[in-house]
Amino acid sequence: MKTNCSRLLSILAALVGALVLPSKAQDSPQDYVSAHNQARQAVSVGPVQWDARLAAYAQSYADRLRVDCRLVHSGGPYGENLAMGSGDLSGVRAVNLWVSEKANYYYPTNTCNGVCGHYTQVVWRKSVRIGCGKARCNNGGTIISCNYDPRGNYVNEKPY
């Protein structure tokens, strides 16, 4: 009986941990890089590479935003995309949200019908290094920050 109870408690602890702890699935540096490079390849832009300095900056900023999970840009020296989810938002899902703005971007006139600045930063030809961070917010949500170097989204300049 004691063995069954211990085993049941172990299973219960694992299930609770899976529900409460943030998932690491689709949050590795390679996951972020691959999701960015897939979007970049679709428009014939060269790949980005992971940069530990940018990742440290992004993680530090995401940690600062975890208190209230508001999407407020850092104003730092890099390009920046932010995403927030009410649950455990994965890094790949955040990048895919930004890339979904492609539908709002019209390349011939370099204009947006709605929001597209996150997408144009993802595919900005001159941005070749990225670093991303993720934090669980006090409200149970997730905030993700990705930073880009050199930054992009200059007025009247096409991303690619």
Side-chain angles (χ1 to χ4, degrees):
M1 177 73 170
K2 187 175 182 181
T3 304
N4 286 342
C5 186
S6 295
R7 204 165 78 154
L8 183 59
L9 285 174
S10 295
I11 292 170
L12 183 59
L15 288 172
V16 169
L19 295 173
V20 174
L21 298 175
S23 168
K24 296 296 180 195
Q26 300 184 322
D27 289 327
S28 73
Q30 189 56 50
D31 292 329
Y32 285 103
V33 167
S34 294
H36 277 80
N37 285 340
Q38 184 177 7
R40 294 169 69 88
Q41 185 177 24
V43 291
S44 300
V45 172
V48 293
Q49 293 182 342
W50 188 257
D51 184 285
R53 179 178 43 94
L54 291 173
Y57 182 90
Q59 186 61 58
S60 174
Y61 192 62
D63 288 340
R64 285 180 39 206
L65 294 175
R66 75 178 342 135
V67 174
D68 57 12
C69 220
R70 290 186 322 130
L71 297 177
V72 177
H73 286 282
S74 67
Y78 309 113
E80 185 172 73
N81 278 343
L82 300 173
M84 192 254 316
S86 59
D88 185 18
L89 178 67
S90 75
V92 170
R93 178 76 179 118
V95 176
N96 289 338
L97 286 171
W98 301 326
V99 171
S100 72
E101 293 177 3
K102 181 179 183 178
N104 300 335
Y105 180 64
Y106 187 60
Y107 182 81
T109 58
N110 195 33
T111 56
C112 292
N113 181 19
V115 177
C116 70
H118 303 99
Y119 166 71
T120 55
Q121 178 59 82
V122 167
V123 298
W124 198 265
R125 180 181 305 280
K126 295 176 185 172
S127 295
V128 294
R129 290 174 295 282
I130 66 164
C132 303
K134 174 180 176 175
R136 287 305 292 260
C137 300
N138 292 350
N139 66 7
T142 307
I143 191 131
I144 292 178
S145 173
C146 284
N147 290 98
Y148 303 82
D149 189 44
R151 71 183 329 142
N153 284 337
Y154 289 102
V155 177
N156 297 323
E157 190 174 329
K158 288 184 175 182
Y160 51 89

